């Protein structure tokens, strides 16, 4: 059985994952409106992935005898500027998520809940990939220049 404290911390993370999902969905709409269909597709997939994170965490809580909650999700930003700025924001946001997951591991550790620590290590590892992927997209955008963006956008469409 999971402790109340840890259950609350995981439910807060579920809220954060759903907020991330909405953030990426809004970014996807923004890029679609700007005519960048590849980026819009990539971001929509990212939004789905964040929702999956929330759902997986909820199922984990339920398995441990806890209660999963969908709380109110705050509004997300609406506009980002250039192609590069959108993906710089994605990278920054993933770094922020990594910090949240690290703090969640600290809570599980303080509660001496080994199973939850083990469960969360999967997310810690995944964040390494998420940060690296976003950072590499930002690097490519910077190197590509204005005309190279069409190539980047075609690559992002393959996700
Ligand atoms: Fe749910 Fe991108 O981390």
């Amino acid at each position: 059985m999971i402790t109340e404290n840890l259950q609350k911390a995981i439910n807060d993370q579920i809220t954060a994952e759903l907020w991330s999902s909405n953030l990426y969905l809004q970014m996807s709409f923004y890029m679609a409106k700007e005519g960048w269909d590849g980026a819009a597709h990539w971001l929509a997939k990212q939004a789905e992935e964040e929702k999956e994170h929330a759902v997986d965490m909820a199922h984990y809580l339920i398995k441990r005898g806890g209660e999963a909650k969908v709380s109110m999700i705050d509004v997300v930003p609406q506009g980002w500027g250039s192609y590069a700025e959108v993906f710089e924001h994605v990278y920054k946001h993933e770094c922020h998520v990594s910090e949240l997951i690290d703090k969640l591991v600290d809570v599980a550790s303080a509660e001496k809940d080994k199973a939850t620590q083990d469960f969360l290590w999967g997310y810690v590892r995944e964040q390494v990939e998420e940060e690296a992927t976003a950072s590499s997209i930002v690097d490519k955008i910077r190197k590509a220049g204005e005309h190279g963006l069409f190539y980047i956008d075609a690559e992002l469409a393959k996700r």
Side-chain angles (χ1 to χ4, degrees):
M1 182 93 185
I2 205 145
T3 65
E4 278 289 321
N5 196 31
L6 191 48
Q7 173 175 293
K8 190 195 170 301
I10 295 175
N11 272 315
D12 286 348
Q13 188 60 35
I14 288 172
T15 303
E17 299 290 340
L18 291 173
W19 190 87
S20 298
S21 180
N22 284 354
L23 173 73
Y24 292 137
L25 192 58
Q26 186 68 64
M27 282 179 170
S28 171
F29 296 159
Y30 174 78
M31 289 306 254
K33 180 152 172 46
E34 294 291 305
W36 295 114
D37 294 341
H41 169 79
W42 191 95
L43 288 158
K45 286 269 176 190
Q46 188 72 12
E48 278 171 30
E49 202 174 285
E50 299 305 342
K51 193 172 168 193
E52 274 169 30
H53 293 163
V55 171
D56 288 348
M57 285 177 188
H59 285 154
Y60 174 76
L61 260 185
I62 294 160
K63 238 189 272 178
R64 294 293 311 280
E67 213 174 304
K69 288 183 192 136
V70 175
S71 298
M72 196 176 74
I73 314 296
D74 286 341
V75 290
V76 294
Q78 305 282 320
W80 288 273
S82 70
Y83 205 112
E85 280 168 325
V86 170
F87 281 90
E88 280 161 8
H89 195 112
V90 171
Y91 173 66
K92 253 194 247 163
H93 185 65
E94 286 306 326
C95 293
H96 168 66
V97 173
S98 300
E99 284 171 20
L100 293 180
I101 299 286
D102 284 354
K103 281 185 190 147
L104 197 49
V105 173
D106 289 343
V107 177
S109 169
E111 300 284 323
K112 300 191 188 338
D113 187 325
K114 307 285 191 297
T116 302
Q117 286 173 62
D118 184 60
F119 172 73
L120 292 171
W121 283 122
Y123 287 93
V124 171
R125 283 192 296 275
E126 191 170 335
Q127 281 310 119
V128 174
E129 298 306 318
E130 298 237 8
E131 282 186 30
T133 301
S135 167
S136 133
I137 294 171
V138 170
D139 280 351
K140 286 186 183 116
I141 293 168
R142 284 186 186 141
K143 284 178 194 143
E146 204 183 321
H147 297 298
L149 278 183
F150 290 95
Y151 170 75
I152 302 274
D153 205 59
E155 285 298 302
L156 293 182
K158 293 176 189 163
R159 179 176 188 183

